[in-house]
Amino acid sequence: MKYPAWPRGKKLVHLDLKGAPPTSKYLHQLIELFSQLGVDGLLVEYEDMFPYEGELKLLQATAQPAYSHKEILSMQEFAKSKGMEVIPLIQTFGHMEFVLKHRPMWGLREAPNCVCTLNPHTEDALKLVMGMLKQVVDLHPGLNTLHIGADEVYMLGEGEQSKVELASPGCTVQQLFLGHVTKVAKAIKEAWPDMNIIMWDDMMRGMCQDTLKASGLVGLVQPMLWDYTPDLDVDKTVALLEKYYSAGMTELWAASSFKGSTCVYTCVTHTQRHVENHLQWLKVAATLSAAINLKGIAITGWQRYDHLSVLCELMPVALPSLAACLQTLFHGEFSAEAQSKAAEKLGISSVEVEAMERRSADDPLFPGRKLTELIVELDALLNCEDIRSFENNMYVRGWLSPFQRQRRMVSPLITMQIHSQATTYLTTLQQKTDMLREEMVQFYPESTAQEWIEEHITPVMAPLQQITEDIIACVKEMVP
């Protein structure tokens, strides 16, 4: 079904830098491509890749250097030259893992075992948040919009100070949430009166209209309603947006996804899933009351589900999905024309990465194309049933059981056949891994390549390697 093209408003692409931070050179290549794809701005989630200074220096990443002041300014200048706005996203309540994991910050946790949520009751919490924000704002000249996060504030109310507050008549967890966010928003407005403030909406979804009106947030923040699913509930989403609008929050945003929202360890982006999400958002926009004018949509591309989870799809393998999602918004449908234009802009034959081929020798390769191909090949190999279930195949279970390995009583003939097959798989995987590492370090730090390999390849290779070592040890006991 065809819907009206996405209504007026900015189309932002989310850069999640809390994992696999692109090199400065690759960041510029991405911005150039985003500009060609019709992107209006960047929603940049720095986390530990921001060059915090002073008491906050401990927040910087240790696996690789944070971006330098010069690199961040250069990124902004290049984006501006392409007509793109840069909006920093700084978490101020939930998803504070990159802050609260550090021992000196443990006392600011809502609960001792909750590394993600800030304790909203201490003056030091607001001081920390404003200290982070000031450094970010200072390094973004002319900035007029901030995103303060505030999503998924888990275990709020479980801390001792929260429990004392909740014992007061009429106090609720909703009020704890609203109290902290309002305090942060007012502090921002006091420091930078003209600053626009965006926040994620999920913690407000269960709140009634009267609670929102009385919160003090009306006129201070712009809710960004996120839903990344291909079967997004249109009626429920429309009702939420209209509730916020009726409560006086008249400046609203949407947030979709082009990668990083399928499964926590997904390596290959499946374009159609994300296109479906955007088709549902088009339906939402077409169903909304005429009075509600969305300020824009943030097309998110998560690199980790949170600071402490594994890397999911890297940016190159998701670029076909991004191009397809943008063309879907431009056309109001994922028509043959939309598919063709998305593929054409990347110089490929299909926006499904498993099927993409270069259109012609004259077409430019999108940045990271070869890395994308290697990831797709490796992912197929890593998920091959013969490799995944090698330990459970008939020969390994029948002639190389834990009992037999422990007692060094095996059939040399059969186990050496097992060894040969395992070695073949290991050799192929290692060759592909070496090629992938060589390509990946052209776009990402060496630490990212190492992490990706250890998270996605090593767990598959390790059992095969153990089998080969066990066989050699056993056969030595059986053959003169």
Side-chain angles (χ1 to χ4, degrees), residues 21-28 67 71 440-445:
T23 63
S24 186
K25 178 182 178 181
Y26 187 40
L27 205 50
H28 282 238
Y67 291 111
E71 287 173 326
M440 195 178 291
V441 295
Q442 296 185 41
F443 304 97
Y444 296 102

Side-chain angles (χ1 to χ4, degrees), residues 240-252 291-293:
L240 277 170
L241 288 166
E242 294 188 344
K243 178 181 73 173
Y244 298 145
Y245 182 83
S246 298
M249 298 174 168
T250 55
E251 295 182 300
L252 300 167
I292 301 178
N293 181 24

Side-chain angles (χ1 to χ4, degrees), residues 179-433:
H180 177 73
V181 175
T182 302
K183 190 162 47 176
V184 170
K186 286 182 176 178
I188 291 172
K189 286 292 189 179
E190 184 176 341
W192 307 285
D194 298 324
M195 189 70 71
N196 297 306
I197 305 170
I198 302 173
M199 64 176 284
W200 298 120
D201 84 299
D202 54 288
M203 294 297 293
M204 301 188 292
R205 291 178 190 175
M207 299 180 188
C208 69
Q209 188 173 305
D210 289 342
T211 297
L212 293 171
K213 283 182 178 179
S215 68
L217 282 179
V218 175
L220 284 179
V221 299
Q222 302 170 5
M224 179 176 277
L225 197 160
W226 59 271
D227 194 315
Y228 312 142
T229 58
D231 57 352
L232 177 157
D233 188 324
V234 172
D235 292 339
K236 182 178 179 180
T237 303
V238 168
L240 277 170
L241 288 166
E242 294 188 344
K243 178 181 73 173
Y244 298 145
Y245 182 83
S246 298
M249 298 174 168
T250 55
E251 295 182 300
L252 300 167
W253 293 78
S256 57
S257 171
F258 74 95
K259 82 178 187 80
S261 58
T262 301
C263 175
V264 67
Y265 50 79
T266 299
C267 293
V268 174
T269 307
H270 299 291
T271 297
Q272 187 60 41
R273 174 187 172 85
H274 298 285
V275 166
E276 292 292 339
N277 174 239
H278 286 78
L279 289 171
Q280 292 299 92
W281 271 112
L282 283 169
K283 189 174 181 180
V284 168
T287 309
L288 280 174
S289 303
I292 301 178
N293 181 24
L294 293 175
K295 290 181 66 67
I297 184 169
I299 308 173
T300 65
W302 300 98
Q303 195 50 73
R304 302 184 194 274
Y305 273 35
D306 65 42
H307 181 78
L308 299 174
S309 66
V310 302
L311 293 170
C312 44
E313 308 111 295
L314 297 177
M315 181 63 78
V317 80
L319 290 175
S321 171
L322 176 61
C325 292
L326 283 163
Q327 286 300 317
T328 299
L329 293 179
F330 293 141
H331 286 80
E333 61 179 342
F334 194 44
S335 59
E337 182 183 2
Q339 295 180 53
S340 177
K341 285 199 172 184
E344 180 183 352
K345 287 179 179 293
L346 298 181
I348 54 180
S349 59
S350 171
V351 290
E352 287 292 353
V353 289
E354 295 93 340
M356 69 177 189
E357 296 177 358
R358 193 167 181 173
R359 292 165 65 95
S360 74
D362 297 327
D363 281 324
L365 294 176
F366 67 81
R369 162 72 184 277
K370 183 178 178 182
L371 177 57
T372 297
E373 292 173 341
L374 287 169
I375 290 173
V376 171
E377 289 177 17
L378 248 173
D379 186 69
L381 196 58
L382 293 169
N383 288 290
C384 166
E385 185 65 22
D386 288 345
I387 292 179
R388 278 285 180 180
S389 62
F390 192 81
E391 287 181 289
N392 290 314
N393 73 33
M394 181 183 74
Y395 296 101
V396 175
R397 291 189 65 177
W399 282 272
L400 198 64
S401 71
F403 180 91
Q404 292 161 322
R405 295 189 206 190
Q406 185 178 11
R407 287 159 179 77
R408 298 290 196 265
M409 292 296 292
V410 301
S411 165
L413 181 61
I414 295 179
T415 51
M416 288 310 295
Q417 290 176 340
I418 296 171
H419 183 278
S420 176
Q421 185 61 69
T423 301
T424 298
Y425 288 145
L426 283 167
T427 300
T428 302
L429 285 168
Q430 190 60 57
Q431 289 173 344
K432 294 288 185 184
T433 300

